[in-house]
Amino acid sequence: MQALVIVAHGSHLNPESSTPTYGHADTIRETAAFDEVREAFWKEEPHFREVLRTLESEEVYVVPLFISEGYFTEDVIPRELRLDDWDPDAWESDGTSATHVTLDAADVDKTVHYCGPVGTHDAMSDVIVRRAESVTGDPDVGDGFGLAVVGHGTKRNENSAKAVEYHADRIREMGRFEEVQALFMDEDPEVDDVTDFFESEDVVVVPLFVADGYHTQEDIPEDMGLTDDYRDGWETPAKVDGHYLWYAGAVGTEPLMADVVLERALDAGADVADAVEYVKEHTRDAAVTEA
Amino acid sequence: MDDEQLAALSAAVTVEDDVAFDGLHVTRTDDGYRFELPDLERGGLSEDELRRVARANPEHVSNWYFWHDVAPTEGSARFDFLRYLERVADHDAPTETRGHGGDATHGTTYEPTDVLDRYHALERGIERQWGQLLVTVELADDGYRRYEVRHVDDADADPDELDAHREVRDARDVAKFDEKGRYRPLKAAPTLVDGWRFTALTSAEVVSVVETIYPATIANWHREREGNLDVDHWEPTMARQSGIYGVVQTWNRGEGTEHVERVAETCCADSECLKRREWQYDEDTDLEADGGVGAFPCREPCSMVVSAARQWTKLEGEDAQTYEFELTPSEKEQLEAIVDTVADGDVDEVREADFRHDANRWRTRYLREKRMDDEGNLCGVPTDDE
Ligand code: SF4
């Protein structure tokens, strides 16, 4: 038997923080690719600490629903899952290249394949593009459009900026959008000045965050000038300094995220290739019906 | 009992393998099959005769079939939990896990071999309480089981009055908010809303519903029954914290355990959390605070307690100071009553015109007008001497 565990931050305060996690887990459950699919959280239940014991499978794929490698993926999750032989070097990562490592957990008799975070997987670039399609309602969006990928700066976590730049570079190379720019909340190039960085009249702005919350729903919209007060909401697109800004909200809410979770498990050896295909197709339908 | 069960029985019994479960014992020798129950013995049976005897004792056969082909593997947490729901006596289980937690029919169990008695009870439904859940197991056709889950407070409610759910996923929404619409970050808080029921669940689904509402409780309950619950006490749990929580390590300064007693009384009392706190200060130092009587154990301070402890660590770093306030005796008592009312979560129960209640809003507004200055200082006394 094989199990998938999606580990995410969760929240003691925000009831919707875990909603995307459950959504992606449900999508994967529908594929029946795993005998068991579980969500586990740092701030909700089941906690990281107690999730492995709820599984009957011997092979467990753990995929962190986090944007970058850092404190959570390197310290908190391995410690709380009791992956005793874990060492950050085990991933042999340059900050965005972690794939997986196979370990034992001290409290259960199981093999744990501990995967890199979803945010740094190549498939994440496709989710950012899909997010741009969803927010514009145009499956071919690109011509005449600029794309901004937004993240925290290096102050909080050096690798988080690396992940943002990594995907911006990859999407630029696709040649689909007129211009692609990585922007940050607390360093240059800053998201506040978004319109300075684009020639294109239309710009899609996609924050590289796993869930909507304070940053994506309050900070960034106000900083970009979409609205003076986030409580009043904003238009999509919103006209700012002669540009139309299509603000997408957290990329992590995009249904295609389930594909990145699966791809992480696939790379780590899970038998889920068919499910990957199903999810790619199915989430496109879901996005279209929602729009 | 259906034909599938009969076929499974004759297939399961070979010269090498017999069937022995809950008083049913079927073997095969060169003389044919042998079918035994606690009060019945038939030997030298042909396959047809075996089927005839089995048909005459459908309860034992369907019971064997359910526990072998439908319920998950024997010895697993799920299997033992389903047996627990059906009140099958387990003499190896520690007493505190045999039927605790305000269980209305505490202690009533059926010997494993009392299949007929258990089946009679299953006709009417056998109930078990799990936190605020009331789980009922009933017989469906041919000895299969069907489960229902509802709030204990709805034990006597008319089923038609309750919102019926079939989807396990709905349990997430049921557990998400309390009756005042507030988010419930602590799943074992005794604030589960009532007014709903999950009906016609299979054995796999009932486990999922219970685990959605009370995550990981079955696994830890089972570990406790097996005698290997891995409790992590307060001290090592705090010592493990890092990042913004690393500060909690400094709260333990080898100056006794009063602060932890207070935390346990504050957060883990049954009024706040239905898990039975099994963690202590450390391996050698028990806490006096009551751990509660919940059916399922708590094996380490949870993330809510760690978060709150971080705040207390910061606050408790301050030294006490002497302030001088002038209050009437009633005002002193009023302040105490306000603290009590907030701590007990009773603020909403104080009626707007109940002016005898010390935590009444107008009474409290009046106190603020009289005793607090424009900066919000009680009796005009500044918090810090400038
Ligand atoms: S630490 Fe206390 S409040 Fe938290 S789950 Fe355990 S018993 Fe409940």
Side-chain angles (χ1 to χ4, degrees), chain A residues 239-288:
Chain A
K239 189 144 199 209
V240 178
D241 301 335
H243 292 264
Y244 289 101
L245 298 184
W246 301 75
Y247 181 62
V251 68
T253 59
E254 182 64 32
L256 185 60
M257 278 291 282
D259 169 59
V260 189
V261 175
L262 275 174
E263 303 239 12
R264 276 288 182 216
L266 180 72
D267 295 348
D271 175 15
V272 295
D274 292 347
V276 167
E277 288 313 309
Y278 171 88
V279 164
K280 277 189 181 150
E281 275 318 300
H282 175 85
T283 55
R284 181 182 293 280
D285 300 344
V288 169

Side-chain angles (χ1 to χ4, degrees), chain B residues 186 188 267-268 273-277 279 298 300-302 305:
Chain B
L186 185 68
C267 314
C268 309
C273 178
L274 296 175
K275 284 190 188 173
R276 173 168 30 84
R277 180 181 55 75
W279 55 264
C298 169
E300 73 174 44
C302 65
V305 162

Side-chain angles (χ1 to χ4, degrees), chain A residues 11-13 15-16 22 26 29 42-46 49-50 53-54 56 71 79-80 82 107-108, chain B residues 78 169 172 176 183 185 187 215-216 219-220 223 230 232 240 242-243 245 275 299-300 303 307:
Chain A
S11 171
H12 288 156
L13 299 170
E16 301 311 328
Y22 285 113
D26 286 344
R29 269 185 202 102
W42 174 229
K43 296 288 189 177
E44 295 178 35
E45 297 170 69
R49 202 81 184 137
E50 313 217 310
R53 62 190 57 205
T54 69
E56 289 179 11
Y71 175 60
R79 178 189 78 210
E80 299 292 288
R82 303 174 181 80
D107 63 325
V108 289
Chain B
R78 293 200 292 160
R169 275 175 210 175
R172 274 180 219 153
K176 199 163 172 177
Y183 177 46
K187 288 286 207 298
N220 284 326
R223 281 184 177 232
D230 46 345
D232 286 327
R240 201 178 77 222
S242 61
Y245 297 101
K275 284 190 188 173
R299 44 163 302 284
E300 73 174 44
S303 73
S307 270

